[in-house]
Amino acid sequence: MRVSWPNRIAVGALAVAAGAVFGVAGTIAHAYTAGPLPVGLVLALVGCGALLVALRLLVEARWVTWAAGFAMIALLAVYSGTGPGGSVVVPQSAPGEFPLGLVWSYALPGVVLLVAAWPDPARLRTGPAAGPGTRRTGDAAGSGDVQSGTRRIDP
């Protein structure tokens, strides 16, 4: 969707707020396990990834996805440190234990980079313009398909 200039600030602020909420929720919930399964880590990554994919698909400007992703990473960094009372949200894993905090600390920036750097979905759906080097198939009236050296990707 195309956003006018005064509304860009509002959309950016909402994206940063949503990214911050998902970053905090993922950082707190990533350590939940059901037996040997890291359920919290998987749900946190899926939730953060889903928010970023939704922003990437709904808003034309790529910076909105970057803003939400940076907010997620910033809150991960803030909550990963030792609190003022000495509490730790992301503890270091014991020897021989799976390092959930370390995986979360690297996986979240990976998800942000993957989603925000993904090619623009609108450009993948557009076909080549008819110009030099293209030829039409079909009848002489030109109602045929455009053929060129590029592939057209339609949903």
Side-chain angles (χ1 to χ4, degrees):
M1 104 177 122
R2 200 159 246 331
V3 181
S4 64
W5 178 247
N7 291 333
R8 287 182 186 183
I9 296 171
V11 169
L14 286 173
V16 167
V21 167
F22 275 68
V24 169
T27 301
I28 292 172
H30 82 277
Y32 176 74
T33 58
L37 301 174
V39 176
L41 179 67
V42 171
L43 289 177
L45 286 173
V46 167
C48 289
L51 173 69
L52 293 171
V53 167
L55 286 172
R56 186 76 179 98
L57 291 174
L58 292 175
V59 181
E60 188 175 317
R62 189 183 301 249
W63 69 267
V64 174
T65 307
W66 283 113
F70 286 145
M72 288 177 188
I73 295 169
L75 271 292
L76 164 68
V78 167
Y79 278 87
S80 292
T82 304
S87 62
V88 178
V89 176
V90 183
Q92 184 177 359
S93 59
E97 191 176 297
F98 187 74
L100 287 172
L102 193 61
V103 171
W104 170 245
S105 297
Y106 285 109
L108 180 62
V111 167
V112 171
L113 285 173
L114 179 70
V115 174
W118 197 259
D120 188 15
R123 289 185 186 173
L124 293 176
R125 286 189 217 109
T126 59
T134 60
R135 60 185 173 90
R136 293 193 177 268
T137 59
D139 61 347
S143 63
D145 294 330
V146 175
Q147 291 184 347
S148 68
T150 61
R151 231 172 90 180
R152 182 175 175 162
I153 302 172
D154 288 328

